Amino acid sequence: MKSIKKISPHFVLLLYVAVILYPFVFVILSSFKTNNQEIQSNPWGLPNVFTFSNYSEVWVKGKISVYFFNSLYLSLAAAVCGVILAAMMSFAITRMKFTKSSKWLYQFILVGMLIPGNALFIAQYILVADMGILGTHWALFLPYTAGAIPLSVLLVSAFMKAIPSEIEEAAVIDGLSAGGMFVRIILPLTVPALVTVFIVNFLGNWNEFLLSNFFLSKDSLKTLPTGMAGFRDAFQTNYALVCTGIIYSVVPVFILYAVLQEKIIAGLTAGSVKG
């Protein structure tokens, strides 16, 4: 009985992993196949001949390269700016105690987490139209950056609260200003939380569809999710090419997580336990 109890959780986890991964395995295998007939006749089998021409065709003919780099620099830029703003706001709220109302300011920022992003769509559309940036990447960059602030402040501030106050006192004695303390002491100590926030923001920006679909009309400015929507229609008779485009959209996420996974886990666990 004891052996069964030990094995059963692992079996359940393996079953869960299989259910999660089987669509991805199907997409990978299909991306190397040549036509729909091969995919339909043998969906889970290996390709008769591994062909890499699908990847070059999708990259050039399908304009995935344009959509890919649009998403990449928008997601990176907004995520980096979101991390910087969240770090500065969290430092001011949790460490500086500039006013007695800092607690209320913190709670006001967190209220943004209670408002669904889609509920603000019309207001955001009117705002970017009035600003004259509709149809440009600024129409996505600003909402991406601002929309990530509440959750980012929650995670970073929880981490900063755990930093001993004695470190600040020693920095003041050494003559550091508030800015110097923030850059030279607080930021390096908060790296795990900042990496976690960066990944969360990047993934949200990378997968965002609604704003990019309505705020951008030029094909050369579209991001990967909106470009893939049109790409799927353009190649609806060739599922191999569609699956190849999906691979391009998920590979950067896997690489980013594989490189930074230790920092992500450290940031989440430290923030949840100490905060």
Side-chain angles (χ1 to χ4, degrees), residues 123-157:
Q124 289 177 332
Y125 186 89
I126 295 174
L127 181 60
V128 297
D130 291 341
M131 294 175 64
I133 59 176
L134 186 63
T136 67
H137 281 158
W138 284 104
L140 298 183
F141 172 77
L142 296 179
Y144 285 177
T145 303
I149 287 178
L151 179 60
S152 301
V153 170
L154 175 66
L155 295 175
V156 177
S157 61

Side-chain angles (χ1 to χ4, degrees), residues 10 14 21 33 50 60 75 90 118 121 129 154-155 168 206 270:
H10 296 283
L14 287 174
L21 290 182
K33 296 179 179 179
F50 279 87
V60 179
S75 300
S90 299
N118 294 342
F121 171 73
L154 175 66
L155 295 175
E168 296 180 37
W206 182 265

